Amino acid sequence: MKWKEQLLQLTPYQPGKPIEDVKRQYGLEKIVKLASNENPFGCSEKVVASIQSSAASTPLYPDGNATNLREALANHFHFSPSQFIFGNGADNLIQIISRSLLKPGMNTVMAAQTFSQYKHNAIIDGAEIREVPQINGEHDLNGMLEAIDDETAVVWVCNPNNPTGTYISEDSLVSFLEKVPNDILVVIDEAYADYVVANDYCDSIKLLDQFPNIIILRTFSKIYGLASQRVGFGISQPEIIKALEPAREPFNVNSIAQKAAIVALKDQDYVQYCKQKNREGLEQFYLFCKEKGLNYYPSQANFILIDFDKDGNEVFQYLLERGYIVRSGMALGFPTCVRVTVGSKEQNEGVIRVMEELLSENAVVS
C-alpha cells in the first residue's frame, strides 16, 4: 500500500482507559473516570428526555445543514446563521480546518504543550509544525508571532489551554491578534470557555467583527454533558465558513445530537450549576496541593494539572489500580504530572484520598 509516510509515523489518539476494561483487569467493582474532562453531573434532565424521545428519527439521515441547531445558536449568540459550521465534536472541526488550509510547503504555529490534535492533523496534511514552548504553562504569544512567516496558514490558540487550564487575558489576546497578518487563520479553541470565571478572560466571540481572520471553536461535550453525542461548532465570518464547508463530510452531526444540543443550549440554569460545582471541586484540589506542597496550574477549565515531581505514568498506574482513571502527563508534555478531571465532591474526595496514600507511601520509602 502506498501510505502517506507521515501517517505511518503517527499513533491514534489515546483516550482514557475504558471503565469496563479497568474493572476486569484489576478486579475492581467501582471505577471513577477522571481522565477525559467529561461533566461528572452528565447532561440536563431535559436533554435526557429529548434523547429518549428521538429514537423515531434513527432510520433517517440527519439534517446536513443542522438548520434548527444553527438557528438556535444564531439566536443565542446574536450572529447570522451563515456564521456557523458544525462538526462531529470540535475535533472534527480541527480536522476540517487542517484539511482546508494545510499542505506541504505551508506551516502552522501552535504552543508546544497544547491539544494534541492540532499537530496530529497538520502532520497528516504534510505541513511544517512550528511549536513554541510555553512559559509557566501559558502560551508564549510573542514567540508565536516570531514563528509566523509568509508560509504560515493557521495559528492555533487554545484558551483555556488543555492540558494546563491556563488562560489568555483579553488584553493579551487582542494585542496578539492585532499583529497576526489578516491572511492567516487564527483558530481560537474555546472548548472550556463555559467554565471560566476569570474577570479578564476574553470571550473572543465578541472579537469577530474586529478580526475577520479568526474562527472560534466551541463544543457541547464539556459543560453541556453531551460528550457521547459529539457536537462541536465554529463561529466565524460567512466567507470563512463558506470556504470550509466543502471539507465537511455530509451528515456529520447526527439527528439525536442536534436535538439534544438545542435543548441543552436552552437550559442555561444547568450550565451555571455545573460551573459553580466545578469551581468548588477545583478548590478541593487546590487545598490538597497546598497542604501537600505540590505544584499545580490554577485552572479555568474542568481539570487540574498536578506536579507530583515523579514519573507521571507511575502516579497514573497507582491511581488506576485503586479505581481512579486520570491522565498521565507523560504524553501531554508534562512528564512529572497527572491531569485530573474535576469530578463530583465525593469523587474528588476519593481520588484525593488515594493521592494522599501515594504520598504517604513515598514518604515512608524515602
Side-chain angles (χ1 to χ4, degrees), residues 33-59:
K33 184 184 177 189
L34 300 173
S36 302
N37 305 336
E38 297 141 327
N39 186 338
F41 306 105
C43 60
S44 159
E45 292 182 2
K46 297 176 182 177
V47 175
V48 174
S50 170
I51 293 173
Q52 291 173 339
S53 66
S54 297
S57 65
T58 301

Side-chain angles (χ1 to χ4, degrees), residues 26-37:
Y26 297 103
L28 299 169
E29 294 184 2
K30 181 182 177 182
I31 301 294
V32 176
K33 184 184 177 189
L34 300 173
S36 302
N37 305 336

Side-chain angles (χ1 to χ4, degrees), residues 78-127:
H78 307 293
F79 281 103
S80 165
S82 64
Q83 292 184 255
F84 293 85
I85 185 170
F86 297 91
N88 183 36
D91 296 345
N92 184 207
L93 294 169
I94 294 167
Q95 183 183 54
I96 290 169
I97 292 167
S98 183
R99 176 179 292 179
S100 300
L101 287 161
L102 298 181
K103 60 183 179 182
M106 305 302 292
N107 69 69
T108 181
V109 175
M110 64 194 71
Q113 295 88 14
T114 192
F115 186 46
S116 63
Q117 293 304 288
Y118 310 148
K119 180 178 180 179
H120 185 96
N121 282 285
I123 291 173
I124 292 174
D125 290 313

Side-chain angles (χ1 to χ4, degrees), residues 56-363:
S57 65
T58 301
L60 305 176
Y61 282 110
D63 173 9
N65 191 52
T67 304
N68 292 334
L69 178 56
R70 182 182 299 275
E71 292 178 354
L73 284 166
N75 290 332
H76 181 78
F77 289 107
H78 307 293
F79 281 103
S80 165
S82 64
Q83 292 184 255
F84 293 85
I85 185 170
F86 297 91
N88 183 36
D91 296 345
N92 184 207
L93 294 169
I94 294 167
Q95 183 183 54
I96 290 169
I97 292 167
S98 183
R99 176 179 292 179
S100 300
L101 287 161
L102 298 181
K103 60 183 179 182
M106 305 302 292
N107 69 69
T108 181
V109 175
M110 64 194 71
Q113 295 88 14
T114 192
F115 186 46
S116 63
Q117 293 304 288
Y118 310 148
K119 180 178 180 179
H120 185 96
N121 282 285
I123 291 173
I124 292 174
D125 290 313
E128 176 192 352
I129 294 99
R130 296 184 176 179
E131 295 180 282
V132 179
Q134 293 182 2
I135 299 175
N136 297 323
E138 299 181 357
H139 283 59
D140 177 6
L141 296 179
N142 289 329
M144 292 173 70
L145 287 170
E146 292 174 2
I148 293 172
D149 62 19
D150 292 341
E151 281 70 51
T152 303
V154 184
V155 175
W156 305 89
V157 176
C158 191
N159 193 29
N161 185 52
N162 179 11
T164 59
T166 54
Y167 75 102
I168 301 168
S169 70
E170 180 169 354
D171 288 347
S172 296
L173 182 60
V174 169
S175 177
F176 173 76
L177 293 174
E178 288 175 340
K179 298 179 180 69
V180 177
N182 289 333
D183 62 346
I184 296 174
L185 183 67
V186 180
V187 182
I188 305 175
D189 186 347
E190 295 184 345
Y192 299 94
D194 296 299
Y195 286 107
V196 175
V197 298
N199 292 329
D200 59 344
Y201 175 76
C202 182
D203 180 352
S204 58
I205 290 175
K206 67 182 182 181
L207 302 179
L208 278 169
D209 291 336
Q210 183 178 355
F211 300 102
N213 61 324
I214 66 174
I215 182 169
I216 297 99
L217 305 186
R218 294 284 185 94
T219 182
F220 282 91
S221 295
K222 304 305 178 184
I223 205 165
Y224 288 99
L226 291 177
S228 69
Q229 297 300 308
R230 311 303 297 128
V231 188
F233 61 96
I235 315 175
S236 188
Q237 295 299 328
E239 296 78 12
I240 290 177
I241 300 299
K242 183 178 180 181
L244 291 173
E245 276 288 350
R248 180 181 64 83
E249 63 269 31
F251 314 118
N252 63 331
V253 181
N254 72 76
S255 299
I256 297 174
Q258 290 184 35
K259 294 177 182 178
I262 293 170
V263 176
L265 187 66
K266 292 178 180 178
D267 196 351
Q268 289 298 312
D269 288 342
Y270 184 73
V271 170
Q272 291 305 311
Y273 168 80
C274 293
K275 182 176 183 177
Q276 176 60 32
K277 290 297 180 182
N278 180 73
R279 188 50 42 182
E280 293 172 5
L282 278 169
E283 292 297 333
Q284 290 178 263
F285 286 105
Y286 292 166
L287 179 61
F288 160 70
C289 290
K290 291 171 183 176
E291 289 180 344
K292 300 301 179 181
L294 299 175
N295 292 321
Y296 65 95
Y297 291 98
S299 177
Q300 291 294 323
N302 68 333
F303 56 83
I304 182 170
L305 190 67
I306 304 175
D307 189 352
F308 281 83
D309 196 27
K310 63 178 299 176
D311 189 318
N313 286 342
E314 292 182 11
V315 179
F316 162 82
Q317 188 65 33
Y318 185 93
L319 297 177
L320 181 70
E321 293 175 6
R322 288 153 183 81
Y324 289 90
I325 309 173
V326 299
R327 193 71 183 268
S328 169
M330 189 66 70
L332 302 175
F334 297 88
T336 60
C337 298
V338 294
R339 190 193 68 190
V340 186
T341 302
V342 178
S344 66
K345 183 176 184 293
E346 294 74 22
Q347 290 172 337
N348 299 336
E349 289 173 345
V351 72
I352 287 171
R353 183 169 57 251
V354 177
M355 289 175 176
E356 289 173 337
E357 292 171 1
L358 168 65
L359 294 173
S360 296
E361 289 185 13
N362 286 344

